[in-house]
């Protein structure tokens, strides 16, 4: 598991609200489905997305800054 991208989501006017202050969006990348499942992130209520692309697995969510997001 590795962090693919970490950013403050600015939102999409009329579609998605921006991240509130202190919250960041984190996108994790996994090499295998098993690795993704073992991380526990799929059961995390802060998760907002998961998908597969080009043979890699991704889980994204809104997490507090400075927090260990792998709980």
């Amino acid at each position: 598991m590795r962090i693919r991208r970490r950013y403050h989501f600015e939102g999409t006017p009329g579609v998605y609200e921006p991240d509130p202050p202190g919250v960041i969006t984190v996108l994790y990348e996994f090499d295998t489905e098993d690795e993704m499942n073992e991380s526990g992130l799929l059961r995390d209520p802060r998760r907002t997305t998961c998908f597969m692309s080009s043979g890699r697995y991704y889980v994204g969510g809104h997490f507090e800054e400075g927090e260990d997001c792998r709980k």
Side-chain angles (χ1 to χ4, degrees):
M1 172 176 86
R2 63 195 151 278
I3 293 177
R4 172 68 178 211
R5 189 159 180 223
R6 201 177 172 103
Y7 58 98
H8 180 80
F9 180 63
E10 299 296 329
T12 304
V15 182
Y16 297 108
E17 294 291 318
D19 288 345
V23 174
I24 56 172
T25 298
V26 181
L27 182 64
Y28 290 98
E29 179 181 339
F30 302 90
D31 293 325
T32 66
E33 184 176 6
D34 288 339
E35 182 185 12
M36 177 182 66
N37 291 331
E38 289 171 8
S39 75
L41 290 173
L42 290 177
R43 295 180 301 278
D44 191 316
R46 300 170 296 175
R47 176 185 60 85
T48 58
T49 190
C50 63
F51 59 94
M52 182 183 139
S53 178
S54 300
R56 303 243 185 219
Y57 297 84
Y58 299 89
V59 175
H62 302 292
F63 304 100
E64 298 297 323
E65 289 183 1
E67 182 179 1
D68 181 358
C69 300
R70 295 169 291 168
K71 288 183 180 177

